[in-house]
Amino acid sequence: MEVSVTVNGTVRSADVEPRTLLVHYLRDVLGLTGTNIGCDTSSCGACTVLVDGRSAKSCTLLAAQVDGADVTTIEGLAGPDGLHPMQQAFHECHALQCGYCTPGMVMAAVSLLDEYDDIDADGVRVGLEGNLCRCTGYQNIVAAVLAAGE
Amino acid sequence: MTVTETPFTGGIVGKPRLRREDPALLTGEAKFIDDLQIPGALWLACVRSPYAHARITGIDTSAALAIAGVVAVYTGEDLADAWAAPLPCAWPVTDDMKNPAHYPIAQGKANYAGDIVAVVVAESRYAAADGIEGVVVDYEPLEAVVTIEDAETDRLVIHDDCGTNVSYVWELTPEPDAVTAAFAAAEHHITETFVHQRLIPTAMEPRGVAAVPAPHNGDMTLYSSTQIPHVLRVMAALTVGIPEQKLRVIAPSVGGGFGCKLNVYAEEILCIVLAQRHGVPVRWTEGRTEAAGSTVHGRAQRQTIELAADADGKLTAVRATLLADMGAYLQLVAPGVPLLGAFLYHGLYDVPVYSFTCKSVFTNLTPTDAYRGAGRPEATYAIERAMDALAVAVGVGQDEIRSRNFIPTEKFPYDSPAGLIFDSGNYQPTLDRAKELIDWDGRRAEQAERRAAGSTTHLGLGISSYVEMCGLAPSRTLAALNYGAGGWESATVRILPTCKVQVVTGATPHGQGHETCWSMIVADQLGIDPDDVEVLHSDTSISPLGMDTYGSRSLAVGGTAIWMATEQVIDKARAIAAHMLEANADDLEFAGGTFSVRGSPDKEVPLAGVAFGAFTAHDLPDGMEPNLQAQVTFDPSNFVFPFGTHIAVVEVDEATGAVELLDYAAVDDCGNQINPLIVEGQLHGGIVQGIAQALWEDAAYDADGQCRAANLADYLVPSAAECIDMKLDHTVTPSPSNPMGVKGIGEAGTIASTPAVMNAVVDALRPMGITDITMPASPMTVRRAIEAAQGGSA
């Protein structure tokens, strides 16, 4: 079936099997491999992208479900002037190690701050509950999100 | 080698430096294994036994072969002649160790849920997944051996050719009579039995493999999400039977390892063999639920520890006895994992005599192997939990019992009762500082107030002081332990014509920030900008020599090789500079990237000038080779022994059994720090990983050998919501084992935190008469313990 999605500002159309997951559409069809897959139960959040501005786990959506929608992936975050403030904050706070959860974590954090402009550390911790990181113990991630929000 | 201070004077080492690895990872530019675009690749999918133990009575592949996109299906019989050797176990810890042949595809019988019984090769990942649904396997389920206690009885023997479920018994008791005498004379004899549940390492990136053949010249490139491309190359070449020089192994960006990617796996061998057979690339990416059966687990042992002590609580002997679960087969270093803890069951305490015995058994469960800390978390847990029991028996505080027994600072280097030499240590300051950070006295007072007021939310304080041995490892020591390889590491440092630097290392990062740290070391030595230092790694064609990354070895062994190679480069540069300046090399100073003649400040040449001179070779001293380059293979003379004290404060809700972490302080000593930012990050993550064992994670199996937590919905890897900010500090006691005075820090947090939290949980509940809680201390487990203690039904 034909699926047409605006991805990082560009309309992308492709003929895919109806069962194609959004994450596989992004990775395998469009070659946007920054969005990672860490589980098969919608638990880890590595595949988080923005769908119409809100964070969504792209392993839990079919590509067909976002036909006509606006999707932002990690590749669409940095601009010509460099890293997005959230990416920059993750860098400066040492909020990543292996980096596998990072694209999803960053996208979830961007969405979180977009939703709550006055958020504290506990709010960040609860807000990122759906994104797992095995390396950092989260302390620096929380610090980075708070720093990006300032 | 004696180190009293840091050898670094360049102003770069020792200061936090942001990571150069970050931009690629933050933007999605980094390429993990599944990100690789490999034209023409076929996809592998594995049909895995759903039974823990079953005879395979028939496999019908016809329906699978009829599925669109499926290219081939192979059973164990189909590929029986494809292997030159079984999957390797490189650590036969005893001469009579039982090691059943373990092939990539089972034949005749599946021995754990997850054992591969057939594989599908297809044109896409979706078609491969469809294909495995079409393979019909007839099983005759057999009774499974699920517990180590059951395994030990040999009531049901898993591997007929072994004749027993016991793989090996390994003992270390240097003075048996003295141990017996110490226990006979002991005023206090503490006996504690603890269980380390199975854990699923859960690197956030699942494993993946791609084998890319060049059929006409016989080359094979193996991409794998592995910690050990160098070890894998040797082992895969031997297992498949292709010449080592024809196999190139590349680890792309690797999304965490924690030991579970320190292995040689069936899927790696299968992809090579099937790529050879089909003449096109074959790739596989693991699913998370699949991983519960396809990637090794960790811990899984029962330990009994006995302490002998005098009336003051001064230890006179320690005896530890283990029963360890190897799972269904022996993976790469699994038998040696208990040995990495075998020398440390007396912790950082001065104990005259010592005894350790480990019996390891097979079960019908996923194989186990190294997991962050590998043996040392288990040892630390045993001694630190037992020390709290001793404190209670003697009637002193948990802090006091430790202070009474710490190895005195003046005894270093310390000849341990297990036969090690602890390189350096100064333990009491870490306890003092951790108590300060956590407000020990204030928290104790609060605990007393709550108890006096009859509160049902109980406060608990738990200490864990630890020492660990890492920086694996002196090759001769490994030989004494029957390990099948050495423990050296290799480095090449090369200054390019424009005075930029290439560092080639055999260490293989998967999140540690090696590139940043290695560039700092070399830049500090050479007086140049770290950004001018490129670090090359993780590809056996670029870095042919290496022993890879595990056991907190990369800095202490691999970093030392880099440091030494850079010193050699400086020595050569000095000789060239002396020639250029017409001075004696001994009269030259090297600072800030410039050679100058002592006493004649106008006579100087920058390193860049020397580098270009070495490149053009127009005017080198007679007999000197062109170029500035040195290659060093460093084999350490000893392990390094980081140490520290962690303290946890928890609150246990009597009504629900819920444990909440209130505060956590950690004071660690890893000698000289290269990049404090990295040290802090390693500790944060390590501590949480250890806390997760204490409170949440459990690869529990049912009586049929089915994992009840095979996915991330059921296996409780903590999220940010369960974790808290930790308070860190450090002391600095340089290691004399290497010229930089460094020790490892990658595993320290995990080693220390589990017993700190469990001691805190038990401390909270001790007034009820509770002396142990089985990990993880879930609300149900805690609540049942409370009910049992209160005389109710469990």
Side-chain angles (χ1 to χ4, degrees):
Chain A
M1 62 182 293
E2 182 82 4
V3 171
S4 181
V5 188
T6 302
V7 180
N8 301 329
T10 304
V11 179
R12 308 288 297 266
S13 299
D15 189 30
V16 299
E17 284 188 67
R19 61 177 175 168
T20 305
L21 295 173
L22 174 57
V23 69
H24 286 140
Y25 178 76
L26 294 170
R27 292 177 52 82
D28 294 349
V29 179
L30 303 186
L32 296 170
T33 54
T35 303
N36 293 325
I37 302 172
C39 74
D40 40 24
T41 47
S42 301
S43 306
C44 81
C47 65
T48 304
V49 298
L50 304 184
V51 176
D52 292 331
R54 297 284 299 267
S55 65
K57 292 181 176 177
S58 61
C59 73
T60 313
L61 288 168
L62 297 169
Q65 285 174 283
V66 299
D67 187 37
D70 195 281
V71 172
T72 306
T73 70
I74 193 70
E75 289 91 345
L77 213 54
D81 300 331
L83 298 178
H84 181 281
M86 187 63 73
Q87 292 168 316
Q88 187 65 30
F90 267 61
H91 176 51
E92 288 174 7
C93 294
H94 185 33
L96 64 152
Q97 290 180 32
C98 84
Y100 195 77
C101 75
T102 305
M105 193 72 77
V106 167
M107 299 311 283
V110 166
S111 174
L112 183 68
L113 286 195
D114 192 47
E115 202 172 344
Y116 304 96
D117 49 9
D118 185 25
I119 195 166
D120 63 5
D122 286 346
V124 172
R125 287 185 177 279
V126 173
L128 293 179
E129 194 172 10
N131 290 74
L132 298 179
C133 169
R134 194 57 152 167
C135 296
T136 66
Y138 302 103
Q139 187 155 335
N140 291 349
I141 290 177
V142 174
V145 177
L146 292 174
E150 282 174 1
Chain B
M1 282 177 277
T2 302
V3 175
T4 51
E5 290 178 4
T6 171
F8 294 102
T9 57
I12 295 166
V13 163
K15 292 182 181 161
R17 184 176 177 84
L18 297 180
R19 299 197 324 165
R20 61 168 56 182
E21 290 87 348
D22 290 356
L25 295 166
L26 280 162
T27 55
E29 269 175 26
K31 296 294 177 214
F32 296 95
I33 182 82
D34 194 70
D35 301 342
L36 301 178
Q37 313 265 342
I38 303 174
L42 297 174
W43 285 85
L44 179 80
C46 303
V47 179
R48 297 179 186 276
S49 171
Y51 296 102
H53 200 193
R55 222 168 285 291
I56 302 162
T57 55
I59 300 179
D60 182 352
T61 62
S62 56
L65 288 165
I67 291 171
V70 171
V71 174
V73 180
Y74 297 98
T75 65
E77 278 72 21
D78 295 334
L79 295 177
D81 298 330
W83 330 114
L87 291 168
C89 172
W91 206 335
V93 295
T94 62
D95 293 339
D96 60 352
M97 182 183 83
K98 299 287 191 293
N99 179 21
H102 180 198
Y103 289 98
I105 307 182
Q107 284 190 66
K109 189 157 81 84
N111 286 316
Y112 65 100
D115 214 353
I116 299 172
V117 297
V119 293
V120 173
V121 178
E123 289 168 357
S124 72
R125 67 170 101 220
Y126 279 32
D130 290 342
I132 60 175
E133 297 299 321
V135 177
V136 179
V137 183
D138 291 328
Y139 294 99
E140 179 192 323
L142 302 169
E143 191 181 357
V145 178
V146 175
T147 67
I148 47 180
E149 290 80 7
D150 190 22
E152 188 186 16
T153 65
D154 277 339
R155 179 184 66 82
L156 197 160
V157 172
I158 297 166
H159 300 287
D160 290 341
D161 51 340
C162 293
T164 172
N165 293 325
V166 178
S167 176
Y168 68 87
V169 176
W170 192 89
E171 182 170 11
L172 172 72
T173 309
E175 299 173 74
D177 294 343
V179 173
T180 307
F183 277 97
E187 189 70 30
H188 297 283
H189 183 160
I190 303 293
T191 303
E192 297 283 321
T193 295
F194 304 117
V195 174
H196 280 260
Q197 77 271 39
R198 268 180 176 259
L199 299 176
I200 303 179
T202 322
M204 287 315 301
E205 181 203 24
R207 289 190 300 115
V209 183
V212 180
H216 297 291
N217 76 358
D219 286 350
M220 177 70 68
T221 303
L222 178 68
Y223 298 88
S224 182
S225 176
T226 182
Q227 298 172 225
I228 53 162
H230 299 91
V231 175
L232 176 58
R233 177 166 78 151
V234 181
M235 293 298 177
L238 293 172
T239 306
V240 176
I242 60 177
E244 186 183 349
Q245 82 280 7
K246 287 295 191 184
L247 180 61
R248 174 185 184 184
V249 179
I250 299 173
S253 276
V254 174
F258 312 111
C260 80
K261 295 176 183 173
L262 192 192
N263 231 302
V264 177
Y265 281 105
E267 298 86 0
E268 291 166 326
I269 304 305
L270 281 162
C271 282
I272 295 174
V273 163
L274 295 173
Q276 282 179 325
R277 193 161 287 222
H278 289 264
V280 295
V282 174
R283 68 189 304 181
W284 169 80
T285 298
E286 184 178 57
R288 178 61 66 188
T289 301
E290 180 180 31
S294 57
T295 291
V296 296
H297 293 179
R299 310 289 189 263
Q301 62 173 238
R302 193 192 67 207
Q303 45 187 210
T304 297
I305 183 165
E306 296 171 81
L307 310 183
D310 67 16
D312 296 329
K314 184 80 185 69
L315 291 168
T316 54
V318 171
R319 180 161 55 204
T321 313
L322 266 57
L323 185 60
D325 184 357
M326 298 285 104
Y329 295 100
L330 298 181
Q331 285 283 354
L332 188 64
V333 298
V337 170
L339 273 60
L340 292 172
F343 300 84
L344 292 172
Y345 278 79
H346 67 93
L348 31 54
Y349 306 114
D350 191 9
V351 178
V353 290
Y354 183 76
S355 173
F356 171 91
T357 309
C358 177
K359 180 192 281 187
S360 289
V361 296
F362 296 110
T363 57
N364 287 118
L365 306 181
T366 297
T368 62
D369 208 319
Y371 173 51
R372 201 171 192 171
R376 291 150 291 159
E378 295 92 319
T380 304
Y381 188 82
I383 181 67
E384 285 306 282
R385 291 292 318 280
M387 287 302 279
D388 269 24
L390 179 62
V392 171
V394 177
V396 298
Q398 295 101 317
D399 49 348
E400 175 62 23
I401 198 73
R402 288 171 170 81
S403 295
R404 286 185 189 182
N405 284 287
F406 281 148
I407 298 163
T409 307
E410 61 273 16
K411 277 201 175 184
F412 289 93
Y414 174 72
D415 288 316
S416 91
L420 296 177
I421 299 171
F422 288 18
D423 58 350
S424 63
N426 186 16
Y427 301 146
Q428 185 65 39
T430 67
L431 174 58
D432 294 341
R433 180 66 182 132
K435 284 173 63 182
E436 226 171 74
L437 284 174
I438 209 86
D439 183 19
W440 178 265
D441 294 335
R443 285 294 195 181
R444 271 280 179 246
E446 184 188 348
Q447 181 186 52
E449 283 165 23
R450 288 196 193 196
R451 285 176 181 171
S455 168
T456 57
T457 52
H458 303 272
L459 206 61
L461 285 72
I463 301 176
S464 163
S465 293
Y466 75 96
V467 64
E468 65 128 335
M469 50 184 267
C470 65
L472 307 182
S475 296
R476 288 182 177 181
T477 305
L478 291 176
L481 295 174
N482 265 14
Y483 183 59
W488 46 265
E489 193 49 88
S490 169
T492 301
V493 172
R494 161 185 316 140
I495 304 190
L496 304 175
T498 58
C499 205
K500 310 299 183 192
V501 178
Q502 280 183 331
V503 174
V504 183
T505 173
T508 302
H510 36 283
Q512 293 87 348
H514 285 179
E515 292 179 17
T516 301
C517 294
W518 302 167
S519 74
M520 290 170 71
I521 291 171
V522 174
D524 195 296
Q525 287 174 278
L526 294 178
I528 62 175
D529 188 329
D531 287 340
D532 287 339
V533 182
E534 194 67 21
V535 180
L536 306 175
H537 55 79
S538 303
D539 178 340
T540 58
S541 286
I542 292 171
S543 158
L545 289 173
M547 290 304 296
D548 303 313
T549 288
Y550 43 84
S552 302
R553 71 189 304 272
S554 294
L555 175 60
V557 189
T560 298
I562 292 167
W563 187 90
M564 293 170 75
T566 306
E567 288 297 302
Q568 289 189 12
V569 165
I570 293 170
D571 286 346
K572 181 170 179 181
R574 185 188 304 275
I576 297 171
H579 181 71
M580 292 168 84
L581 296 169
E582 297 180 338
N584 191 319
D586 294 340
D587 293 335
L588 293 191
E589 283 181 344
F590 181 58
T594 298
F595 289 97
S596 58
V597 181
R598 223 173 265 115
S600 304
D602 55 322
K603 290 186 75 175
E604 62 175 35
V605 58
L607 182 62
V610 179
F612 194 70
F615 163 69
T616 63
H618 291 172
D619 183 21
L620 294 177
D622 289 343
M624 180 174 281
E625 285 182 21
N627 290 315
L628 286 177
Q629 172 172 303
Q631 195 263 327
V632 166
T633 302
F634 174 64
D635 196 349
S637 58
N638 193 3
F639 298 93
V640 291
F641 295 82
F643 58 89
T645 297
H646 292 206
I647 301 181
V649 180
V650 303
E651 185 178 77
V652 183
D653 184 335
E654 186 178 325
T656 64
V659 177
E660 190 183 349
L661 199 57
L662 296 186
D663 204 358
Y664 197 94
V667 180
D668 297 272
D669 192 323
C670 59
N672 289 324
Q673 298 189 5
I674 302 301
N675 186 347
L677 192 76
I678 301 287
V679 173
E680 176 194 279
Q682 287 290 324
L683 282 166
H684 283 163
I687 288 167
V688 165
Q689 216 157 345
I691 293 172
Q693 177 177 10
L695 297 182
W696 302 301
E697 294 181 14
D698 185 9
Y701 278 81
D702 69 14
D704 295 325
Q706 297 294 325
C707 185
R708 295 184 304 182
N711 58 60
L712 282 178
D714 296 323
Y715 188 77
L716 301 181
V717 170
S719 79
E722 291 83 49
C723 297
I724 62 170
D725 278 357
M726 299 154 260
K727 297 169 179 162
L728 305 188
D729 203 351
H730 63 273
T731 59
V732 178
T733 308
S735 170
S737 302
N738 59 70
M740 294 190 291
V742 296
K743 302 182 177 187
I745 198 63
E747 297 164 294
T750 308
I751 290 165
S753 65
T754 311
V757 171
M758 291 309 297
N759 276 341
V761 172
V762 172
D763 181 61
L765 300 174
R766 203 178 292 278
M768 298 181 194
I770 290 170
T771 57
D772 186 30
I773 297 284
T774 307
M775 295 190 288
S778 67
M780 186 169 74
T781 300
V782 172
R783 184 62 211 149
R784 281 182 173 165
I786 291 170
E787 286 176 12
Q790 291 174 339
S793 59

